[in-house]
Amino acid sequence: MSPLVAHDGRESADAPQLAKRILLGEPLTTQQVDDQLLPKRMALPIFASDALSSVAYGPQEMLMIMLIGGTALLTLSPWVAAAVVVLLIVVVLSYRQIIRAYPSGGGDFEVAQRNLGEVPSVIVAAALLVDYILTVSVSIASGVDNIISAVPQLAGVRVELAVGFVALIVIVNLRGVREASAVFAIPTYVFIGSVVVMIGTALVRMLLGDAPVAASAAYTVHAESLGQAAVVLLILRAFSSGCSALTGVEAVSNGVPAFRTPKIRNAKTTLTLMGSIAAVLFAGLTAVALVSGVHYAENPCDLVGFDCTSPQPSLMAQVAAATFGAGSIPFFLIQAATACVLLLAANTAFNGFPLLGSVLAREGYAPKALNTRGDRLVFSNGMLVLGLAAAVVLVVFQANLTSLIQLYIIGVFVSFSLGQIGMVRHWRRILRGGAGVAPQDADGGRRSARIGLAVNSAGAVMTVAVLLIVTVTKFAHGAWMVFFAIPVLALLMLGVKRYYRDVEQEIALDDTTHFGSTGDVAIVLVSRLQKPVIKALDYAIAARHEKTIAVHIALTPEDGEELQRQWRQHGIPVPLVIVDSPYRTFARPVEQFILRYRERHGPSVVTVYLPQYIVGHWWEKLLHNRRARRIAAQLMLVHGVTITLVPWLLDSSELIYGRRSRPLPGQQRAGRPVADEGRSGDRR
Amino acid sequence: MSPLVAHDGRESADAPQLAKRILLGEPLTTQQVDDQLLPKRMALPIFASDALSSVAYGPQEMLMIMLIGGTALLTLSPWVAAAVVVLLIVVVLSYRQIIRAYPSGGGDFEVAQRNLGEVPSVIVAAALLVDYILTVSVSIASGVDNIISAVPQLAGVRVELAVGFVALIVIVNLRGVREASAVFAIPTYVFIGSVVVMIGTALVRMLLGDAPVAASAAYTVHAESLGQAAVVLLILRAFSSGCSALTGVEAVSNGVPAFRTPKIRNAKTTLTLMGSIAAVLFAGLTAVALVSGVHYAENPCDLVGFDCTSPQPSLMAQVAAATFGAGSIPFFLIQAATACVLLLAANTAFNGFPLLGSVLAREGYAPKALNTRGDRLVFSNGMLVLGLAAAVVLVVFQANLTSLIQLYIIGVFVSFSLGQIGMVRHWRRILRGGAGVAPQDADGGRRSARIGLAVNSAGAVMTVAVLLIVTVTKFAHGAWMVFFAIPVLALLMLGVKRYYRDVEQEIALDDTTHFGSTGDVAIVLVSRLQKPVIKALDYAIAARHEKTIAVHIALTPEDGEELQRQWRQHGIPVPLVIVDSPYRTFARPVEQFILRYRERHGPSVVTVYLPQYIVGHWWEKLLHNRRARRIAAQLMLVHGVTITLVPWLLDSSELIYGRRSRPLPGQQRAGRPVADEGRSGDRR
């Protein structure tokens, strides 16, 4: 017996099961869910890694776009950066309201559902799902970028690296939230710390008149002179790219249930903390990058003086090199921390996506399978779906950050906007009816509701505005794919919902449901007279059906006669009927036999006994033709027929399942088992 | 009801079934097998297309190798060609003996098995299987070559074309032998006719002093001067490539059973006819090619004066162009006929491979599935396997004829040699003991046996010699792959044989088999109280088990209590047991329940009733989690447990299978069905 079968209350283990255990650890009981709750110090890294890590590419992509307008335009960058930071603050404040109003973890989806109705909520869900996938792709692409910036030799295996990391993160996450957080806490803190130190050092050096100078500061770019409109558009595009730093802010609001009590307070604090850190890092990095004169080009070959055959180092890498010197220990430390936190950012999605997926499944918008917790209490299926989707995206886009960024944050801002609009409605309703406000603190409630209304109104206006800007500036650059994907997904969800509802109605008890089927005949399908068939006959007899008939489908008359002979010879206590099958089919003749039987004996419930082989190794399946399976599938379509599968465990199954149908020599009554004769026969 | 269910004695049809019918036509009864037998005029094209078509590449590859030694060496070509023709004649004579001695269609495999034992026979089988695959690949590659020679624009889609043709041939063949032959007879005859006419015309023109001149006659090649040894080796290599013209000779001997009576005479005549035609065409084409000065180079860029960016026209194309003028009607006719016959040659393998596969399956050397005839009386699985393998080979070798030829004919000559050696033994045995010779014609028997011995001895010597030459000259050029594949395949077959034998012994009746299992308890698994569950309960009650228990696996205590309530409310006449499952597993708790039950009530056969959904569309499967399936798989491992699947056909299954479990409104007793309320509910 494999050792794992011993564990109480688990699926009896087979080989894959065993592998699963080793990768994922021991299963947990439902009660243990509570012990999995997160303290703030753990929740921050888990839910914040996305928002924080995005500063690793946010400033880079922003300045990159500005550079298209030439070095002159870079001077406007601080204003763009400021706009992003302001937006960040507003969004954070708005989400504090959402956490307060809807702490169940539904986030924007729940808000939209409660306040805007089904369709908007499904759109929000679709948008979020798309964006979770892109979060994984973008974060990993950027992480690989930073690894390559430190170790250029790896430039050749960019995509392989990216996909490999996806796989790694999936596995780590399948082990469950708790361990995940533990693994992820350290690097996030290291990242925050080291980047803050870097920014500090750089600014101090600047004040001391020894400002760091980036390697790319020397490179010039030949910028085509742009008209007013073009410049404005470029600035807006830069802003949109910068906004990628806002992604992940919603993560906390979706994760409230995972917090330790007081959940709401803890979640809000974590969110504020995260927002402030993100703002500081974003502003700081942009500043240092501008000071040290980093020139990061969309197409490295536009950089006059740069050998564009080698990979272009990321902004983070250039700043680090400028501040601490390329190849210095702190340089590598920063690159490592950045890469880690980016890869871990992908992890945020692996908390959010399956959670949202399960919510959708529970509401009937997604396949039920997304709501079944795995052994480790995580929604395994959701994680696998996300991992697969992200891997595909990475391969399709060859893990190219700049082209992925084009699709990114549209989803986020779709859900931002709808979420905020929903909140505005929410507060309005409360102020109107006071619904959901306990009388005693009605005043406090009304005051805070007014605040909420103000905050979320501001949030709604800004996010909608940004959504428009992002759409206009990115649509042609690939964002159209997202605008295609979101409605398709939304429609699918609505379809699934409708399907489940129809099935529910189909199988719901009603006045047409009734007991009282009569007639009880068992049919044992017999191919050749062997142990599995005898076992089936034995069980059929044991079940004492009103009538038990053995049926043999004869492809040629000879088959039938031969079996008849053996049947008599062994004196089997069940009548044998031979049915000819000129077309070499099996199910159909049985069906006709059943119909003829019913004509004679009236309506009756028919139980068809089918011996079924259980094999040990996957390859054995190739050697047994699936006849039993096919027959069962066909007969299940016949009214009033049930299929009884009588398993026969071949000896090989003992290796895997620790069980077999054939008694071991010891357990046998008289005589040596035939098999041994056979084996000794071989030696001859 | 879908129309196809109407046909008697067929599997009730679903959508794929329908597509199948349209592609493959109506099924046939086993009796109809006889009507499928082939008259000679049909058998020739079917079994000969391989041998005949190979003259399309045999001479080309032979002269190509010679050309490596420079134009001077070409003068020796006639002698090499002569050697090939002689070999061809000997092999044909030898196979006439095999047909006579072993008319059952086992061919070399049977000969080796009867006279040399298991291992050699399995090696022969492996060699033949490998070669069937290569026949398809080589023929199609060459066919595509000739198409491209006529329509150079297609050069870009060579591989796609090749794979497409494989698919086409598979489909045509799945329709069954008869139709196939009809389709294939015409082009084969057109090919023979047109090529003969071409050769004739060319020779006549030569006699009239107006010998045709090939376009490539002008091109010179810079040949490096070779030493004696090198030249000899080169000539041997040319000879080996020329021998590819012999492939397919064995086809007839494997196909004897498919002939009309008198099978043996007809088969022998067909073989002789085929051999003579092949010899004539091979010799003729080589002659005309030499006369018209065709220069075909392994690497077209070696041809001084030829623009090697465009595809090099095949030898056949060059000869046709030289004789009738490029772009003339006869030119295109010949190219078309050649292409057709080459593609059809692949068809030979689609007759041989599945036939051999089924023989192997019957003997237990290959999966049983290879011996199940499809609706159309052809061994469908074998054809699919062959098609797939050939497609893979074509893709891997980019449909490059010259590199495929390197792997080719080794398999053929392995089986040739072993077959001939086997025959020598066969005749020896007959001459010794006269075994298998009826007394009356003992003398005639002995005389013919002596002839047979002589012929096959000659055949054995020559084929073995050629096998050695081929091996030496081709091994380094890729043949090693074949030398790797054949033993691997052979070992697999021996393994399969051993596996089946062990299983047979495992399940054979012996003194440990006995009836008399006792105790009869039915367990109905209940998730929620819905129609499918009621149906399962109803059937369990109808089967009148000694004891019937409903079991609910409760993931949370609440579930259980809620169900208990409904149970009482509906007053269901079966006791309900709630089993808690802290680990959210289903099968394991049921197993434990069964074990506990047995502890109390002693050993008993347990029948577990599982409701199972049957859905119409494939995508619906994604929306129902496979829980029932998983539970069944787990419980089937428990000793003394059988699984009874109670199917519930969702309404959607009516679209596909024409049946549903929920009664149609008409069939219902009192009251409107809930479903309708639901639907009207939607309109609200």
Side-chain angles (χ1 to χ4, degrees):
Chain A
M1 268 214 8
S2 109
L4 289 152
V5 181
H7 290 299
D8 246 35
R10 299 244 184 84
E11 302 293 346
S12 72
D14 53 18
Q17 282 275 351
L18 182 53
K20 203 168 142 197
R21 288 277 159 284
I22 295 164
L23 281 173
L24 313 183
E26 293 306 324
L28 303 166
T29 66
T30 319
Q31 288 64 32
Q32 287 171 282
V33 175
D34 302 340
D35 321 347
Q36 298 277 308
L37 291 180
L38 301 167
K40 281 200 291 297
R41 67 175 188 295
M42 285 300 181
L44 181 66
I46 284 208
F47 293 109
S49 52
D50 178 9
L52 296 183
S53 66
S54 47
V55 303
Y57 47 81
Q60 169 179 310
E61 297 300 309
M62 180 178 72
L63 296 178
M64 183 189 82
I65 302 294
M66 294 299 274
L67 195 63
I68 296 176
T71 40
L73 207 55
L74 280 179
T75 51
L76 295 177
S77 307
W79 301 106
V80 181
V84 173
V85 172
V86 172
L87 182 63
L88 175 60
I89 293 162
V90 174
V91 170
V92 166
L93 292 176
S94 321
Y95 270 97
R96 285 174 58 93
Q97 301 300 327
I98 292 187
I99 292 174
R100 179 159 67 99
Y102 297 97
S104 61
D108 292 316
F109 172 70
E110 191 182 0
V111 175
Q113 196 177 30
R114 296 271 195 89
N115 302 294
L116 304 176
E118 184 177 39
V119 174
S121 67
V122 172
I123 292 174
V124 168
L128 282 173
L129 292 178
V130 169
D131 236 66
Y132 278 127
I133 296 170
L134 287 168
T135 303
V136 177
S137 317
V138 167
S139 308
I140 289 188
S142 174
V144 172
D145 261 353
N146 279 284
I147 293 176
I148 291 176
S149 304
V151 191
Q153 295 80 340
L154 293 174
V157 292
R158 174 183 296 272
V159 179
E160 293 78 353
L161 264 180
V163 173
F165 281 121
V166 173
L168 180 71
I169 295 179
V170 169
I171 292 170
V172 174
N173 272 277
L174 287 176
R175 288 194 61 97
V177 181
R178 180 57 118 358
E179 287 80 344
S181 72
V183 176
F184 298 167
I186 304 99
T188 311
Y189 285 124
V190 174
F191 172 76
I192 301 174
S194 54
V195 174
V196 167
V197 170
M198 176 173 74
I199 296 170
T201 321
L203 296 179
V204 169
R205 277 182 57 183
M206 191 180 73
L207 295 178
L208 300 178
D210 161 36
V213 180
S216 58
Y219 310 149
T220 58
V221 287
H222 34 59
E224 56 282 0
S225 59
L226 301 161
Q228 279 296 357
V231 170
V232 173
L233 198 66
L234 208 55
I235 293 173
L236 290 180
R237 253 188 84 194
F239 173 71
S240 325
S241 292
C243 289
S244 56
L246 270 75
T247 54
V249 173
E250 77 285 359
V252 175
S253 69
N254 298 333
V256 182
F259 280 84
R260 286 245 179 99
T261 46
K263 292 177 181 296
I264 298 186
R265 165 120 34 79
N266 288 337
K268 285 172 77 173
T269 327
T270 310
L271 176 58
T272 318
L273 209 61
M274 180 183 92
S276 343
I277 300 175
V280 170
L281 295 185
F282 184 85
L285 266 172
T286 314
V288 178
L290 288 169
V291 168
S292 59
V294 173
H295 290 163
Y296 190 93
E298 187 167 15
N299 171 5
C301 297
D302 294 348
L303 289 172
V304 182
F306 175 70
D307 161 24
C308 59
T309 57
S310 60
Q312 181 177 210
S314 69
L315 178 138
M316 184 68 78
Q318 295 193 37
V319 170
T323 316
F324 300 113
S328 64
I329 309 239
F331 166 78
F332 282 112
L333 175 68
I334 291 214
Q335 284 317 99
T338 311
C340 282
V341 84
L342 276 164
L343 299 179
L344 304 185
N347 177 67
T348 313
F350 279 90
N351 289 284
F353 185 100
L355 215 61
L356 178 54
S358 72
V359 174
L360 290 170
R362 228 176 299 124
E363 307 238 342
Y365 290 110
K368 291 200 190 81
L370 290 181
N371 191 28
T372 44
R373 281 182 181 275
D375 297 346
R376 296 287 297 177
L377 290 172
V378 293
F379 299 108
S380 325
N381 293 330
M383 293 184 172
L384 294 172
V385 172
L386 174 58
L388 199 67
V392 169
V393 171
L394 279 167
V395 170
V396 170
F397 288 88
Q398 291 297 297
N400 176 325
L401 178 61
T402 306
S403 43
L404 282 169
I405 285 276
Q406 301 308 322
L407 319 190
Y408 199 31
I409 79 164
I410 286 157
V412 175
F413 275 90
V414 167
S415 63
F416 277 176
S417 314
L418 288 169
Q420 298 305 323
I421 296 170
M423 286 306 289
V424 173
R425 280 235 187 145
H426 167 81
W427 296 127
R428 280 251 187 73
R429 212 180 50 252
I430 285 188
L431 288 171
R432 241 190 285 97
V437 191
Q440 74 277 19
D441 67 350
D443 284 6
R446 295 191 67 76
R447 236 188 62 264
S448 72
R450 274 197 214 84
I451 297 171
L453 179 58
V455 173
N456 290 122
S457 307
V461 173
M462 289 192 77
T463 50
V464 169
V466 174
L467 178 57
L468 292 175
I469 295 175
V470 173
T471 310
V472 172
T473 54
K474 291 190 165 189
F475 194 87
H477 296 84
W480 59 268
M481 295 185 232
V482 178
F483 281 99
F484 175 78
I486 291 177
V488 169
L489 251 177
L491 285 177
L492 275 176
M493 291 183 194
L494 293 171
V496 170
K497 173 84 165 187
R498 152 167 259 98
Y499 176 81
Y500 280 134
R501 202 201 44 231
D502 292 354
V503 169
E504 277 298 311
Q505 290 165 348
E506 232 180 281
I507 62 176
L509 296 191
D510 59 32
D511 45 21
T512 69
T513 12
H514 60 284
F515 288 110
S517 296
T518 57
D520 167 32
V521 53
I523 293 179
V524 184
L525 280 193
V526 178
S527 51
R528 288 163 58 203
L529 208 47
Q530 293 168 315
K531 281 180 176 170
V533 168
I534 297 294
K535 185 182 177 191
L537 283 164
D538 183 29
Y539 282 13
I541 296 167
R544 298 227 210 73
H545 295 273
E546 275 173 24
K547 187 153 185 181
T548 305
I549 312 168
V551 171
H552 172 72
I553 304 302
L555 301 190
T556 71
E558 301 72 43
D559 300 354
E561 288 145 19
E562 167 57 14
L563 187 65
Q564 284 282 20
R565 211 183 45 63
Q566 297 179 359
W567 204 261
R568 280 190 301 276
Q569 175 198 323
H570 289 81
I572 295 177
V574 175
L576 172 64
V577 179
I578 306 289
V579 179
D580 292 330
S581 168
Y583 291 96
R584 304 171 306 289
T585 59
F586 291 86
R588 185 75 179 164
V590 177
E591 177 177 359
Q592 288 169 322
F593 173 80
I594 292 170
L595 300 181
R596 281 198 303 279
Y597 178 90
R598 286 195 179 132
E599 280 163 15
R600 271 187 263 97
H601 304 74
S604 35
V605 175
V606 180
T607 312
V608 178
Y609 282 76
L610 276 175
Q612 172 138 48
Y613 290 111
I614 311 282
V615 297
H617 317 89
W618 63 267
W619 51 262
E620 290 182 71
K621 293 202 178 72
L622 302 176
L623 297 175
H624 298 279
N625 45 26
R626 315 195 134 324
R627 191 177 292 158
R629 242 170 265 278
R630 286 204 307 277
I631 296 176
Q634 289 288 344
L635 290 180
M636 282 213 255
L637 300 176
V638 184
H639 170 72
V641 170
T642 67
I643 305 296
T644 297
L645 300 172
V646 182
W648 179 270
L649 280 66
L650 290 172
D651 292 1
S652 62
S653 62
E654 186 171 17
L655 304 171
I656 310 289
Y657 307 116
R659 305 165 193 201
R660 60 189 263 181
S661 293
R662 186 164 64 127
L664 294 159
Q667 308 165 338
Q668 280 162 11
R669 292 121 206 262
R672 274 157 64 241
V674 170
D676 283 1
E677 283 164 10
R679 298 234 172 64
S680 60
D682 298 346
R683 293 195 210 85
R684 264 191 233 100
Chain B
M1 285 242 320
S2 105
L4 290 152
V5 182
H7 291 298
D8 244 39
R10 296 241 189 89
E11 301 293 345
S12 71
D14 52 19
Q17 280 275 348
L18 181 52
K20 204 168 139 199
R21 287 278 157 283
I22 295 164
L23 282 173
L24 312 184
E26 292 307 322
L28 303 165
T29 66
T30 319
Q31 287 66 35
Q32 287 170 281
V33 174
D34 302 341
D35 321 349
Q36 298 275 309
L37 290 180
L38 301 166
K40 281 199 291 300
R41 67 176 188 295
M42 285 302 183
L44 181 66
I46 282 212
F47 292 110
S49 52
D50 177 10
L52 296 183
S53 66
S54 47
V55 304
Y57 46 82
Q60 168 179 309
E61 297 300 308
M62 179 178 72
L63 296 179
M64 183 189 83
I65 302 294
M66 295 300 273
L67 196 64
I68 297 175
T71 40
L73 208 54
L74 281 178
T75 52
L76 294 176
S77 308
W79 301 105
V80 181
V84 173
V85 171
V86 172
L87 182 63
L88 175 60
I89 293 163
V90 174
V91 171
V92 166
L93 293 176
S94 321
Y95 269 97
R96 284 174 56 92
Q97 300 301 326
I98 292 186
I99 291 174
R100 178 159 67 100
Y102 296 98
S104 60
D108 292 314
F109 172 68
E110 192 182 357
V111 175
Q113 196 177 31
R114 297 271 196 89
N115 302 293
L116 304 178
E118 183 176 42
V119 174
S121 67
V122 171
I123 293 174
V124 169
L128 282 173
L129 292 179
V130 169
D131 236 64
Y132 278 127
I133 296 169
L134 287 167
T135 303
V136 176
S137 319
V138 168
S139 307
I140 288 188
S142 174
V144 171
D145 262 352
N146 278 284
I147 293 175
I148 291 176
S149 303
V151 191
Q153 295 80 340
L154 293 175
V157 291
R158 174 181 296 270
V159 179
E160 293 79 352
L161 264 180
V163 174
F165 281 123
V166 173
L168 180 71
I169 295 179
V170 169
I171 291 170
V172 174
N173 272 276
L174 287 176
R175 288 194 60 99
V177 182
R178 180 58 119 356
E179 289 81 342
S181 73
V183 176
F184 298 167
I186 304 99
T188 311
Y189 286 122
V190 174
F191 173 75
I192 300 173
S194 53
V195 173
V196 167
V197 170
M198 175 174 74
I199 295 171
T201 322
L203 295 178
V204 170
R205 279 181 57 182
M206 191 180 72
L207 296 176
L208 300 177
D210 161 34
V213 179
S216 59
Y219 310 149
T220 57
V221 284
H222 34 62
E224 57 284 356
S225 59
L226 300 162
Q228 280 295 358
V231 170
V232 173
L233 199 64
L234 208 55
I235 293 174
L236 291 180
R237 255 188 83 194
F239 172 71
S240 324
S241 292
C243 290
S244 56
L246 270 74
T247 54
V249 173
E250 76 287 355
V252 174
S253 69
N254 298 334
V256 181
F259 280 85
R260 285 245 178 97
T261 45
K263 293 178 183 296
I264 298 185
R265 167 121 31 80
N266 288 337
K268 285 171 76 175
T269 328
T270 310
L271 176 58
T272 318
L273 210 61
M274 181 183 90
S276 340
I277 300 175
V280 171
L281 295 185
F282 184 85
L285 266 172
T286 314
V288 178
L290 288 169
V291 169
S292 58
V294 172
H295 290 163
Y296 189 92
E298 187 167 14
N299 171 5
C301 297
D302 293 348
L303 288 172
V304 183
F306 175 72
D307 160 24
C308 58
T309 57
S310 60
Q312 181 176 215
S314 68
L315 178 138
M316 184 69 78
Q318 296 194 38
V319 170
T323 315
F324 299 113
S328 65
I329 305 220
F331 166 80
F332 281 112
L333 174 70
I334 291 213
Q335 284 316 101
T338 310
C340 283
V341 83
L342 276 163
L343 299 180
L344 304 184
N347 177 64
T348 314
F350 279 91
N351 289 283
F353 184 100
L355 214 61
L356 179 54
S358 72
V359 173
L360 290 171
R362 230 177 296 124
E363 308 239 343
Y365 291 109
K368 291 201 189 84
L370 290 180
N371 190 27
T372 44
R373 281 182 182 275
D375 297 346
R376 296 286 298 176
L377 289 172
V378 293
F379 298 107
S380 325
N381 294 331
M383 294 184 170
L384 295 173
V385 173
L386 174 58
L388 199 69
V392 170
V393 172
L394 279 167
V395 170
V396 170
F397 287 88
Q398 290 297 298
N400 177 326
L401 178 60
T402 306
S403 42
L404 283 169
I405 285 276
Q406 301 308 325
L407 318 191
Y408 201 30
I409 79 166
I410 285 156
V412 174
F413 275 90
V414 167
S415 64
F416 277 177
S417 313
L418 287 170
Q420 298 305 324
I421 295 170
M423 284 307 288
V424 173
R425 277 229 188 152
H426 166 82
W427 296 125
R428 280 251 186 74
R429 211 178 51 251
I430 286 188
L431 289 171
R432 242 190 285 96
V437 192
Q440 72 276 14
D441 66 350
D443 286 3
R446 296 192 67 76
R447 240 189 57 263
S448 71
R450 273 195 215 84
I451 299 170
L453 179 58
V455 174
N456 291 121
S457 308
V461 174
M462 289 190 76
T463 48
V464 170
V466 174
L467 177 57
L468 292 176
I469 295 175
V470 173
T471 311
V472 173
T473 54
K474 291 187 163 188
F475 193 88
H477 296 84
W480 59 268
M481 294 184 230
V482 179
F483 280 99
F484 175 76
I486 291 177
V488 169
L489 253 177
L491 285 177
L492 275 176
M493 292 181 192
L494 292 173
V496 170
K497 174 81 165 190
R498 153 169 258 94
Y499 176 82
Y500 279 134
R501 201 200 46 230
D502 292 353
V503 169
E504 278 296 310
Q505 290 166 346
E506 228 180 285
I507 63 178
L509 297 191
D510 59 32
D511 45 23
T512 69
T513 7
H514 60 283
F515 289 110
S517 295
T518 56
D520 167 30
V521 54
I523 293 179
V524 184
L525 281 193
V526 177
S527 51
R528 289 162 56 203
L529 210 48
Q530 294 168 316
K531 280 179 175 170
V533 168
I534 296 295
K535 186 181 175 190
L537 284 163
D538 183 30
Y539 282 13
I541 296 166
R544 298 227 211 72
H545 295 273
E546 273 172 29
K547 184 149 187 183
T548 305
I549 311 168
V551 171
H552 172 72
I553 304 302
L555 300 190
T556 70
E558 301 72 41
D559 300 354
E561 289 145 18
E562 167 57 14
L563 187 65
Q564 282 285 21
R565 210 184 45 63
Q566 298 179 0
W567 204 260
R568 279 191 300 277
Q569 174 197 327
H570 289 80
I572 296 181
V574 175
L576 172 64
V577 180
I578 305 288
V579 178
D580 292 331
S581 168
Y583 292 96
R584 302 170 310 288
T585 60
F586 291 87
R588 185 77 178 161
V590 177
E591 177 178 359
Q592 288 167 323
F593 174 80
I594 292 171
L595 300 182
R596 281 198 303 278
Y597 178 90
R598 288 198 178 128
E599 279 163 16
R600 273 189 261 93
H601 304 73
S604 36
V605 176
V606 179
T607 312
V608 177
Y609 282 77
L610 276 174
Q612 171 139 46
Y613 290 114
I614 311 283
V615 298
H617 315 90
W618 63 268
W619 51 262
E620 289 182 71
K621 294 203 177 74
L622 302 177
L623 297 175
H624 299 278
N625 46 24
R626 315 198 136 320
R627 192 177 292 159
R629 240 169 267 278
R630 284 204 308 276
I631 296 175
Q634 288 287 345
L635 290 180
M636 279 210 255
L637 300 176
V638 184
H639 170 72
V641 170
T642 67
I643 304 296
T644 297
L645 300 171
V646 182
W648 179 269
L649 279 67
L650 290 172
D651 292 1
S652 63
S653 64
E654 187 171 19
L655 304 171
I656 310 285
Y657 306 116
R659 307 166 191 201
R660 59 189 266 182
S661 292
R662 187 163 64 127
L664 294 158
Q667 307 163 339
Q668 281 163 7
R669 293 115 209 264
R672 270 159 67 242
V674 171
D676 282 5
E677 283 165 10
R679 298 234 171 65
S680 61
D682 299 344
R683 292 194 210 85
R684 263 189 236 105

